[in-house]
Amino acid sequence: MPDVQTADDALLARVQATPETGRAIPDAATRATIGYAPEHAVADVDRAVARAKAAQPAWEALGHQGRGDLLMAAADAVEANAEALARLLSREQGKPLSGPNARFEVGACATWLREAATAALEPQVLVDDGTDYAELTYRALGVVAAIGPWNWPLMIAIWQIAPSLRMGNTVVVKPSEYTPLSVLALVDVLNEVLPSDVLVAVVSADREVGARLASHPDIGKVMFTGSTATGRKIVEASGANLARLTLELGGNDAGIVLPDADPAAIAEDLFWGAFINTGQTCAALKRLYVHEAIYEAVIDALAAVAERMPMGYGLDEGNVLGPLQNANQFHIVERLVDDAKARGGRVVVGGEPAPELGPYFYRPTIIADVADGVPLVDEEQFGPALPVVEYTDVEDAIASANRLDVGLGASVWSSDRTAARAVAARLRAGTVWINSHGTLHPKIPFGGVKSSGYGLEFGVEGLKAVAEPRIVNG
Ligand code: NAD
């Protein structure tokens, strides 16, 4: 048996380019080169789509059972390569192996593959009254473009790929320019069991490559997860090819802690709601509103959790927080925290980089005594810095939560589920959690409202979103 280090490098060797032809990809923590990503050109997108288009009819003809069996085998292949995938992901993305991070992400890939393979999508009888009969069924759209971000690159790729394949589409996947190697490795592992050209990857640092894929005339659907700015470009591109879109965009999720919550009981879940993947999570808790009666107690309990969570190199077992994935994101976090401090925000923990760990580490940070209007509250920080805002009247907290133009998730924290649900019903977000934040389940649809995007992923709704509805009438 090769040891895990060898398996990790062996996987990398299967997918990487040469130093002469490829682009150097750094270890997110140390910035040392870990490998070379191929650089595809716009013409390669056209070739990839042509291959996927040619493979689609035979893939669709396998039927739900045949495709489902292969997706189950793909999940087994992911598990057989789990440690190697997790190590490569940890190096490239920065998230540690331990905690709700790299091993967790690879495990979720297998879980979501199996769910997509087995979820039942039965024909829906619309009318059957003796005179009229009509039913609604779903068939493949054709070729799906799967365009993803760098924060959860494997899990989000699977969220896009697995339902698309299940419904009989073929897929061209374009990973983020920051995390191409781990996605290429995942695609290579999936392709151990999938027929050729059913799943094809294109990789480039040139954003024109993604733009060409989204606007390609033979793309029937774009599954996009990334920033709101890029999402708008994809909407514009769809004016030409009329591709259906699922857009999972940015967020700035609010959490509201009601006065009857137990600070000690909720502190750890609050922490992970905000700091999962070192805060680089679309549906993370990004601003916390706490009632004045327990404001200091919640801050103290949160700070105690933050102080005992190890941050460091991802491959070192036991670390649960890692670096910001890239320089750009590090500077966004640094700017927002510095600005909040300058405006009188109180640094409860952190509040500064951790250069002894590596260039883009930033200490887990809690900033109290800030208000709406402070950029750390109003903008998406996408990093390990949580602003905490005190409120007196829950009506104000609800208004604050709803006042921004994004609506991915939100949460309400209380010992009284009925009271929490009453507040939840008034929050404008795709998901409102009660006493947790960001927890996902493969059967529970997930998606945003407002500028956080549209369309649902996961479960039966997720299958419908990558399919063409067809009414049979008569
Ligand atoms: P990004 O928009 O910069 O890039 C996302 C992907 O789009 C990349 O693969 C990129 O190469 C590609 N791309 C860039 N220009 C394109 C174009 N014109 N046409 C087609 N594709 C193009 O986003 P990012 O910085 O990688 O990700 C961070 C953002 O993603 C954050 O705002 C975060 O909230 C959001 N996000 C959302 C979710 C969600 O489910 N809602 C999940 C993760 C991240």
Side-chain angles (χ1 to χ4, degrees):
M1 282 287 287
D3 66 24
V4 285
Q5 180 64 51
T6 308
D8 175 14
D9 285 335
L11 200 50
L12 184 58
R14 277 162 57 173
V15 298
Q16 72 167 325
T18 63
E20 294 72 37
T21 60
R23 182 170 59 91
I25 301 296
D27 179 304
T30 66
R31 312 313 291 179
T33 296
I34 58 172
Y36 295 87
E39 269 295 296
H40 293 133
V42 168
D44 294 313
V45 174
D46 296 348
R47 278 189 279 274
V49 174
R51 283 166 56 198
K53 185 180 177 187
Q56 194 273 329
W59 175 246
E60 186 173 11
L62 283 178
H64 284 288
Q65 187 67 48
R67 295 191 302 268
D69 289 349
L70 285 169
L71 291 177
M72 294 297 271
D76 294 344
V78 168
E79 282 178 348
N81 291 278
E83 190 65 9
L85 282 168
R87 289 178 64 90
L88 183 55
L89 172 64
S90 178
R91 290 158 72 191
E92 183 176 49
Q93 203 285 329
K95 66 184 66 189
L97 290 172
S98 312
N101 290 302
R103 290 188 182 115
F104 165 85
E105 179 166 354
V106 175
C109 291
T111 302
W112 259 263
L113 272 164
R114 293 198 174 104
E115 176 62 26
T118 54
L121 181 55
E122 304 296 341
Q124 185 185 345
V125 176
L126 303 170
V127 179
D128 184 9
D129 60 7
T131 309
D132 292 311
Y133 181 88
E135 65 179 25
L136 171 59
T137 58
Y138 292 90
R139 49 155 296 157
L141 280 159
V143 182
V144 172
I147 302 178
W150 48 260
N151 58 340
W152 293 91
L154 301 190
M155 191 169 73
I156 290 172
I158 287 292
W159 291 351
Q160 300 174 336
I161 293 167
S164 300
L165 292 181
R166 159 64 198 277
M167 293 309 295
N169 307 286
T170 52
V171 177
V172 178
V173 55
K174 209 233 42 94
S176 165
E177 49 273 35
Y178 290 109
T179 50
L181 294 173
S182 47
V183 176
L184 282 175
L186 175 69
V187 167
D188 207 61
V189 166
L190 298 173
N191 278 332
E192 288 175 5
V193 301
L194 295 173
S196 51
D197 293 345
V198 159
L199 176 62
V200 185
V202 287
V203 173
S204 178
D206 179 358
R207 296 202 143 204
E208 286 308 310
V209 165
R212 172 62 181 164
L213 181 59
S215 61
H216 196 289
D218 288 333
I219 291 293
K221 167 94 192 187
V222 180
M223 300 284 290
F224 174 75
T225 297
S227 64
T228 299
T230 308
R232 290 187 204 283
K233 291 185 187 157
I234 288 174
V235 172
E236 284 167 20
S238 75
N241 61 4
L242 288 183
R244 281 79 172 145
L245 305 178
T246 294
L247 301 174
E248 300 284 3
L249 309 177
N252 195 346
D253 292 9
I256 299 178
V257 182
L258 299 181
D260 68 349
D262 176 350
I266 64 173
E268 188 147 343
D269 288 334
L270 273 178
F271 177 83
W272 282 117
F275 289 86
I276 185 166
N277 199 25
T278 315
Q280 300 160 105
T281 298
C282 50
L285 174 51
K286 292 178 178 144
R287 48 198 174 109
L288 184 63
Y289 297 87
V290 184
H291 190 268
E292 60 182 2
I294 55 168
Y295 179 67
E296 293 300 339
V298 168
I299 288 169
D300 288 349
L302 252 179
V305 178
E307 275 166 348
R308 68 179 159 80
M309 291 298 173
M311 172 177 268
Y313 191 52
L315 296 185
D316 293 343
E317 296 287 350
N319 287 328
V320 294
L321 299 169
L324 277 312
Q325 202 277 334
N326 54 68
N328 186 35
Q329 200 59 49
F330 173 84
H331 292 305
I332 290 172
V333 173
E334 189 177 46
R335 169 179 64 80
L336 290 172
V337 174
D338 286 349
D339 171 86
K341 289 193 290 190
R343 291 167 190 260
R346 168 166 49 113
V347 178
V348 183
V349 286
E352 58 184 12
E356 72 281 10
L357 299 176
Y360 301 139
F361 282 85
Y362 202 96
R363 294 184 205 290
T365 294
I366 295 168
I367 305 277
D369 303 347
V370 282
D372 288 353
V374 171
L376 180 61
V377 178
D378 284 14
E379 296 175 23
E380 185 183 38
Q381 67 279 56
F382 219 63
L386 179 67
V388 188
V389 180
E390 183 175 14
Y391 75 85
T392 304
D393 183 342
V394 71
E395 292 300 323
D396 294 336
I398 293 169
S400 290
N402 286 335
R403 65 184 262 278
L404 300 180
D405 186 38
V406 282
L408 194 51
S411 56
V412 186
W413 304 74
S414 169
S415 301
D416 178 349
R417 191 159 168 270
T418 306
R421 286 173 64 92
V423 174
R426 298 179 55 197
L427 297 181
R428 194 150 172 236
T431 304
V432 184
W433 289 275
I434 293 171
N435 292 329
S436 72
H437 197 115
T439 49
L440 300 177
H441 187 289
K443 287 191 192 303
I444 303 177
F446 174 70
V449 299
K450 300 198 268 185
S451 295
S452 292
Y454 50 78
L456 290 171
E457 296 185 274
F458 311 167
V460 175
E461 294 305 318
L463 297 182
K464 291 178 184 174
V466 284
E468 204 167 78
R470 178 171 49 197
I471 309 285
V472 177
N473 188 340

